[in-house]
Structure formats: C-alpha cells, structure tokens
Amino acid sequence: MLSIGTVVLTVEDITRAGDFWRAALGYVNRREPSDDWVILDPPTKASWNAPGASIALSVTGYPQHYPPRIHLDLYADDQAAEIDRLKGLGARDVDWDGYPDDADYVVLEDTEGNRFCVVDTRPFPAP
C-alpha cells in the first residue's frame, strides 16, 4: 500500500522558502539542508516513514509554471487569521477570478510563487 510521504516544491531561494514553510507549518528540518535540497517534517515525526506528510524544497533552476499543476491545501480553523499570518511571513495574494460564489478557500502563493489554498474548516451551519 502506498502513502504520500513528501510533496516536493521547486524553489529559487531555498533559504527564503525554507524560512517561510517552517514558520507557516511549524515544520523542522529533517537534517541539515544542502544548497539545493531540504526536507521539512512535522516536529513530532520520529522517522521518515512515520505518519504525516513532509515537504521537500528543491532548487531546480526551472521557472514556475502558471497555473501550477499541483498545489497544497492548508486547513484552517480561523482562515482570516491564518491568511494574515501567512502574508506576514511573505505569502502573496493570487489574482485569480475562478472562485465559485460559495468558495471556502483562498489562493495564495509562497515566497517562490508556489500556490496553495487556505481552506476554512469551520463546520457548515446546520440547514
């Protein structure tokens, strides 16, 4: 049986991207980063194959593609507060007109242009 272990994001500035994602998610370096690669784990992850997805940052030299073909969905109990916090860390709004009227997510991009959604996970009101 397979499971998702690591999502790899391409970046141009690994230090800047690592700082953003460590602060955004509270993740830690699995080991000391190299000049072109770092794996970030949840702080309680005891081994590489323990539950909990990791994020790897890879310097590839290739430009970002728009729109990207993959992105992260980050779940938030307080969406507005998390969006403000992430923007304070360097995230940026994405000019996108594809939102449905009842969207429960907001699209942002990290310091490297990798897009992600902040999804409001509050329960829906009862009918």
Side-chain angles (χ1 to χ4, degrees), residues 64-78:
Q64 296 294 338
H65 298 282
Y66 291 99
R69 297 185 70 177
I70 190 169
H71 68 271
L72 301 176
D73 279 354
L74 306 179
Y75 291 178
D77 291 333
D78 186 343

Side-chain angles (χ1 to χ4, degrees), residues 20 23 81-92 108 111:
F20 175 82
E82 286 299 330
I83 289 170
D84 287 344
R85 185 178 74 82
L86 292 165
K87 286 182 179 179
L89 296 172
R92 299 177 297 265
L108 299 175
T111 58

